Amino acid sequence: MWAFLNSSLFLPILLYYHFPCSVSSLYSSSCQLQGQFHLNELHKAGDVILGGLFQIHFFSIFPDLSFTSEPQQPTCHGFDVLGLRQAQAMAFAIDEINKNPNLLPNVTLGYSLYDNCLNLGIGFRAALSLASSQEEQVKLNETCVGIPPVIGIVGDSSSSSSIAISTVLGLYRVPMVSYFATCSCLSDRQKFPSFFRTIPSDAFQVRAVIQILKHFSWTWAGLLISDDDYGLYAARSFQSDLAQSGGGCLAYLEVLPWSKDTAELRRIVKVMKKSTARVVIVFAHESHMIDLMEEVVRQNVTGLQWIASEAWTSATVLQTPDLMPYLGGTLGIAIRQGEIPGFRDFLLQIRHELHLNTNNVNFTTSFGDQVSFDENGDVLPVYDITNWMWLPDGRTQVQSVGEVKKSPLKGEELTLDEDKIFWNFESKKPPRSVCSESCPPGTRMARKKGEPVCCFDCIPCSEGKISNVTDSTECTKCPEDFWSSPQRDHCVPMETEFLSYHEPLGICLAATSLLGTFFCAVVLGIFIYHQQTPIVRANNSELSFQLLLSLKLCFLCSLLFIGRPTLWTCQLRHVAFGISFVLCISSILVKTMVVLAVFQASKPGGGASLKWVGAVQQRWTVLVLTCVQAAICTAWLVSVSPAPYKNTQYYNDKIVYECVVGSTIGFAVLLAYIGFLALLSFLLAFLARNLPDSFNEAKHITFSMLIFGAVWVAFVPAYVSSPGKYADAVEVFAILASSFGLLVALFGPKCYIILVRPDRNTKKAILGRDKH
């Protein structure tokens, strides 16, 4: 037969610490007993007596107190098989000690065992009777010193009773060793110096329950407690440890009444029935559960997963066919059990056969468990995890499915064999017991106002933030250059945007730029091939070659605006653009000045004007005008240089790579200088537009400057209003359009004459003397 191990451990402790012992007595030389206490007692004579308090009954009934006559003894009912087994375990242990000549030679142990009826008043009176003896009259010697009636008391089973009794008996250093009082408050050695126990503190039991909750992901549970120190201290520890572990929340906390308060029990069960919590934890005694389950059955509250404290996890009175549909599958924290050799025969024959290791504070039991105590007098904690299994034939079996223990090396460990657990649900699986389902990745938990932390809403993370773990309380911002995925569960690289060679727009612009460069090369080849013809030699062929080269640079500089911006491309693109166009416009300006000078030289006395537009002067003029632009660019680069910039202002999920000009003033001065030269060329060409046909290149220059000006005037508003890569596209288009305008307007007519009308490529035709 299985029996509780703790019931056989208290005797070695008492004998080790307190045999033999004596206490100071406050008796006078003669003490008279004022009243007898006889209630469900069991005695055995001996040289030394040990007291014991056991829960043989669940309930007690006290007679009415009339205060006119001596009240009758209380009566008890509701037989507790477990309590009787524990009392017999003590009797069995004492009998085995008496049979062993090596333990207490020439000394016979006896015992006085009382039923506490799970009542503080009865237990307290029984303890005082044990400590003061039941003899009618006690005579003491002159020193008022004597051996007390009992050298120690085993018990009580209740924490509240143990607290009350040990508070009084501790004054006289009468030791108490409890086998069932688990309140963590009893670990205080200053308040309870003579109290010991062979069962772990509730502080460990509470943590064991929390480990079970976390193991099955039960974050939403109800807690029922008894209205005594056992329940109240357990609730306090449970709330504190649960909050620290972050393992869940309590859906409700209810205190079970001691008396059978039907209205209160009905209210508590309604709370359980209404709650969404599927797990109910009970730190209470068997008597509380009996009253509670009557109401649970009446309201037919099924579908709950019960977790039992050690106080009722082995209560056979609850393992009945009527209650198993409700309590089946219960998981419980049970005192470590073991089969004591010979105890079964003792119970059957009322004989005592027990072997104890005599190594009486740190020893090993016959079935291998190490027994030791810490500085607070608490035993090294170990609990069995039990499961109430409902067999097909209607029988109930309480099986061990794991253990939870604390070891010096590994700390607290929970071991469960889930395959052995019986779940009292249709699914045959652990239930779900949460207030709110876990938030999926991509969302964050938002607390519901006025509700526990386990009750929350799941709010999607905002743009640019993610949550890649469940039940996250906050969303994490993605790193720079990254954006949240559509599911908001991971960061993805931001889409980048710039005028690329791999997209249709970039390809078209690049192809047009290369086409313009090709046309410039073709025209240059034509002019070189026909450089001795009159139309090429007219108006300074050197300037024409220079202009074609500068136009080629204008076409090529547009390629710097295509591709991902880098520091060198950002700096070079505007410098190349500015210098190329100044070189081009200054060549046109000098051409216009040459036209005017030639016209003036054709007049009488105007030959002196040609000395100002000689070849050397033309080269120097173009060089000086270009150097001015180069100086502007140098000052711009030195002061605030253009640089690449990752712009996220246009789009949230896209990076626009662009070049910032750095200094707006520098860019404006660069454009203004080009505009000034273009305007000057236009004005001079406009003045020379009506010159004789021999000098009509001024008309072409005027037309080209009109095209150039129109393009760049339209460019400014289009550039400002275009976002991202389209701003670069607008600028490239303006460069290409103005370059093509200059190429066609200035060299188109000449190429037409050279290639199509060679008959007009004569000196007479150019001088206007050919009448054809």
Side-chain angles (χ1 to χ4, degrees), residues 327-384:
L327 290 175
T330 295
L331 292 174
I333 304 295
I335 301 170
R336 191 59 177 268
Q337 294 181 334
E339 188 170 0
I340 302 177
F343 189 49
R344 175 184 175 86
D345 295 336
F346 172 81
L347 292 177
L348 294 177
Q349 303 174 13
I350 313 300
R351 297 183 62 84
H352 312 296
E353 300 174 3
L354 173 67
H355 170 72
L356 281 179
N357 192 311
T358 58
N359 288 339
N360 300 2
V361 177
N362 193 335
F363 58 92
T364 303
T365 66
S366 58
F367 38 86
D369 275 353
Q370 182 71 28
V371 179
S372 60
F373 299 86
D374 61 17
E375 65 277 5
N376 295 322
D378 289 331
V379 71
L380 194 67
V382 56
Y383 281 114
D384 286 333

Side-chain angles (χ1 to χ4, degrees), residues 386-443:
T386 61
N387 177 233
W388 291 18
M389 188 176 183
W390 197 11
L391 301 177
D393 59 3
R395 293 184 298 111
T396 300
Q397 176 181 342
V398 179
Q399 60 177 351
S400 177
V401 294
E403 67 175 11
V404 58
K405 62 183 179 180
K406 183 178 181 180
S407 62
L409 297 178
K410 297 183 179 180
E412 296 179 5
E413 287 184 289
L414 171 66
T415 304
L416 278 177
D417 187 353
E418 293 191 43
D419 295 334
K420 295 175 60 177
I421 298 178
F422 168 75
W423 300 108
N424 194 27
F425 305 97
E426 292 183 3
S427 64
K428 303 304 178 183
K429 295 180 179 180
R432 290 282 296 163
S433 186
V434 295
C435 181
S436 299
E437 291 295 335
S438 296
C439 287
T443 63

Side-chain angles (χ1 to χ4, degrees), residues 526-527 530 533 535 747-762:
I526 292 173
F527 271 50
H530 298 277
T533 61
I535 199 164
F747 295 96
K750 295 181 178 181
C751 289
Y752 174 77
I753 293 174
I754 294 171
L755 299 177
V756 180
R757 297 293 303 273
D759 58 301
R760 296 185 58 184
N761 191 6
T762 63

Side-chain angles (χ1 to χ4, degrees), residues 285-580:
H285 306 283
E286 294 172 70
S287 59
H288 293 96
M289 286 301 298
I290 293 172
D291 294 338
L292 175 68
M293 291 311 298
E294 289 182 3
E295 186 61 30
V296 168
V297 172
R298 194 187 71 80
Q299 296 192 30
N300 193 29
V301 183
T302 59
L304 297 179
Q305 175 63 50
W306 297 82
I307 298 182
S309 68
E310 95 296 337
W312 65 278
T313 191
S314 301
T316 56
V317 70
L318 297 172
Q319 299 166 14
T320 64
D322 294 337
L323 297 182
M324 283 305 291
Y326 303 90
L327 290 175
T330 295
L331 292 174
I333 304 295
I335 301 170
R336 191 59 177 268
Q337 294 181 334
E339 188 170 0
I340 302 177
F343 189 49
R344 175 184 175 86
D345 295 336
F346 172 81
L347 292 177
L348 294 177
Q349 303 174 13
I350 313 300
R351 297 183 62 84
H352 312 296
E353 300 174 3
L354 173 67
H355 170 72
L356 281 179
N357 192 311
T358 58
N359 288 339
N360 300 2
V361 177
N362 193 335
F363 58 92
T364 303
T365 66
S366 58
F367 38 86
D369 275 353
Q370 182 71 28
V371 179
S372 60
F373 299 86
D374 61 17
E375 65 277 5
N376 295 322
D378 289 331
V379 71
L380 194 67
V382 56
Y383 281 114
D384 286 333
I385 308 298
T386 61
N387 177 233
W388 291 18
M389 188 176 183
W390 197 11
L391 301 177
D393 59 3
R395 293 184 298 111
T396 300
Q397 176 181 342
V398 179
Q399 60 177 351
S400 177
V401 294
E403 67 175 11
V404 58
K405 62 183 179 180
K406 183 178 181 180
S407 62
L409 297 178
K410 297 183 179 180
E412 296 179 5
E413 287 184 289
L414 171 66
T415 304
L416 278 177
D417 187 353
E418 293 191 43
D419 295 334
K420 295 175 60 177
I421 298 178
F422 168 75
W423 300 108
N424 194 27
F425 305 97
E426 292 183 3
S427 64
K428 303 304 178 183
K429 295 180 179 180
R432 290 282 296 163
S433 186
V434 295
C435 181
S436 299
E437 291 295 335
S438 296
C439 287
T443 63
R444 66 175 180 86
M445 295 191 306
R447 288 278 306 276
K448 291 183 177 180
K449 188 176 182 180
E451 296 192 26
V453 295
C454 295
C455 302
F456 49 82
D457 293 318
C458 297
I459 298 178
C461 293
S462 58
E463 292 181 342
K465 294 185 177 181
I466 65 162
S467 171
N468 52 12
V469 294
T470 58
D471 291 343
S472 176
T473 57
E474 60 182 16
C475 298
T476 305
K477 188 175 182 181
C478 287
E480 188 179 8
D481 297 351
F482 284 81
W483 193 247
S484 54
S485 64
Q487 296 77 24
R488 303 286 198 271
D489 57 354
H490 67 283
C491 293
V492 295
M494 280 188 179
E495 181 182 348
T496 58
E497 180 181 276
F498 54 88
L499 192 57
S500 172
Y501 287 107
H502 302 290
E503 60 177 315
L505 181 58
I507 293 173
C508 290
L509 293 175
T512 304
S513 174
L514 294 176
L515 184 63
T517 305
F518 173 74
F519 286 158
C520 288
V522 170
V523 174
L524 181 60
I526 292 173
F527 271 50
I528 293 175
Y529 186 77
H530 298 277
Q531 61 180 330
Q532 300 302 324
T533 61
I535 199 164
V536 175
R537 297 181 64 183
N539 303 111
N540 196 331
S541 59
E542 183 179 339
L543 283 178
S544 297
F545 293 149
Q546 187 172 286
L547 181 57
L548 283 170
L549 289 173
S550 63
L551 280 174
K552 184 183 290 188
L553 292 176
C554 289
F555 280 115
L556 290 175
C557 78
S558 62
L559 296 177
L560 295 172
F561 291 83
I562 305 174
R564 183 167 179 169
T566 61
L567 180 60
W568 74 270
T569 57
C570 287
Q571 293 176 339
L572 187 59
R573 63 168 55 173
H574 289 108
V575 172
F577 158 72
I579 293 178
S580 296

